[in-house]
C-alpha cells in the first residue's frame, strides 16, 4: 500500500521529524514536508489558487492511498502550518470537487509529538472528523514523546504498533 507522511512542523528537523523518520523506516512511506510548499490561508474568494495547494493535492491523491498527518502539539492543537493545510481542504469541497472526491475510500491517520505524554482528550477530533466528512477511513492516531532529542521507549513501542495498523 502506498503511503505518505505529511509533516506539519515549524522545525523540519525537530522532534516530530525524529519520530517521522522512524515511522518512515518501518513503513516505507514517503515524506512531504509542508514547509517546502507555499500554501496560503483559506480564502472565500479563492484568490490564492496560484499557490502550491491544489498541485500538491493532485500529486498526493494520484500517488497515495494512506495519509499520515504528523504534527507537534502547539497550544493543545495541531501546528499552524497543518491547520492551514486542513483549512484549504475546503477548496476541495467548493472549487475542486472532483479532486476532493478522490479522497473517498483512502486512509487517514495522525501522529502527534511533544515533550510530555499528555496529548489531551480532543487533539485527535479534527483529524477523525475530517476523515469521516471526506469519506476516508480513519486508521487511528498515536502520541509520541521526545525529550532531549531522544524518542521515549514507550513511543518507540507505539510507533511499532502503529506501523502494523497502517500496513493492515
Amino acid at each position: 500500500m502506498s503511503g505518505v507522511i505529511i509533516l506539519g512542523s515549524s522545525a523540519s528537523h525537530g522532534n516530530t521529524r525524529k519520530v517521522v523518520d522512524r515511522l518512515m523506516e518501518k513503513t516505507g512511506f514517503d515524506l512531504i514536508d509542508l514547509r517546502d510548499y507555499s500554501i496560503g490561508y483559506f480564502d472565500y474568494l479563492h484568490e490564492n489558487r496560484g499557490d502550491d495547494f491544489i498541485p500538491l493535492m493532485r500529486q498526493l491523491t494520484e500517488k497515495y492511498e494512506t495519509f499520515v498527518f504528523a504534527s507537534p502539539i502547539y497550544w493543545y492543537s495541531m501546528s499552524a502550518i497543518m491547520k492551514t493545510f486542513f483549512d484549504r481542504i475546503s477548496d476541495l469541497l467548493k472549487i475542486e470537487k472532483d479532486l476532493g472526491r478522490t479522497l473517498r475510500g483512502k486512509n487517514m491517520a495522525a501522529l502527534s509529538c511533544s515533550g510530555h505524554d499528555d496529548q489531551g482528550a480532543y487533539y485527535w477530533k479534527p483529524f477523525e472528523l475530517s476523515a469521516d466528512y471526506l469519506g476516508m477511513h480513519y486508521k487511528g492516531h498515536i502520541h509520541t514523546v521526545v525529550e532531549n532529542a531522544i524518542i521515549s521507549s514507550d513511543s518507540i513501542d507505539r510507533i511499532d504498533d502503529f506501523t502494523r495498523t497502517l500496513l493492515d
Side-chain angles (χ1 to χ4, degrees):
M1 174 185 351
S2 61
V4 63
I5 301 169
I6 300 168
L7 175 63
S9 175
S10 295
S12 292
H13 298 285
N15 290 340
T16 304
R17 177 60 185 266
K18 290 178 188 332
V19 174
V20 164
D21 286 345
R22 177 155 182 108
L23 187 60
M24 286 177 14
E25 286 174 23
K26 294 288 191 176
T27 60
F29 286 7
D30 293 336
L31 173 68
I32 294 290
D33 184 345
L34 292 177
R35 286 181 46 91
D36 294 337
Y37 297 86
S38 175
I39 299 175
Y41 300 114
F42 176 74
D43 166 15
Y44 285 101
L45 301 176
H46 311 294
E47 294 175 340
N48 55 10
R49 292 190 69 188
D51 70 4
D52 294 332
F53 179 74
I54 296 297
L56 175 59
M57 286 307 298
R58 282 196 180 103
Q59 173 192 345
L60 292 172
T61 58
E62 288 172 8
K63 189 171 181 182
Y64 302 106
E65 291 300 314
T66 299
F67 302 82
V68 179
F69 293 98
S71 173
I73 296 179
Y74 294 151
W75 286 101
Y76 316 102
S77 185
M78 67 180 80
S79 66
I81 195 169
M82 185 67 75
K83 177 66 167 95
T84 298
F85 182 87
F86 265 76
D87 285 351
R88 286 297 297 281
I89 291 173
S90 296
D91 288 351
L92 305 182
L93 307 173
K94 303 280 184 200
I95 58 174
E96 294 283 344
K97 292 179 182 180
D98 289 340
L99 180 57
R101 287 183 191 106
T102 65
L103 292 170
R104 290 182 187 156
K106 293 186 184 283
N107 303 305
M108 182 193 295
L111 178 152
S112 65
C113 182
S114 71
H116 306 295
D117 203 7
D118 180 19
Q119 76 276 3
Y122 301 103
Y123 177 86
W124 310 109
K125 281 300 178 188
F127 300 100
E128 193 173 7
L129 294 172
S130 295
D132 183 57
Y133 187 82
L134 296 168
M136 299 177 77
H137 305 289
Y138 189 66
K139 297 200 61 119
H141 49 263
I142 60 166
H143 177 68
T144 59
V145 177
V146 178
E147 291 182 89
N148 301 317
I150 298 170
I151 303 172
S152 73
S153 59
D154 285 346
S155 294
I156 289 172
D157 292 342
R158 289 177 198 155
I159 294 165
D160 293 347
D161 289 343
F162 194 51
T163 297
R164 288 186 282 282
T165 300
L166 292 173
L167 297 177
D168 284 343

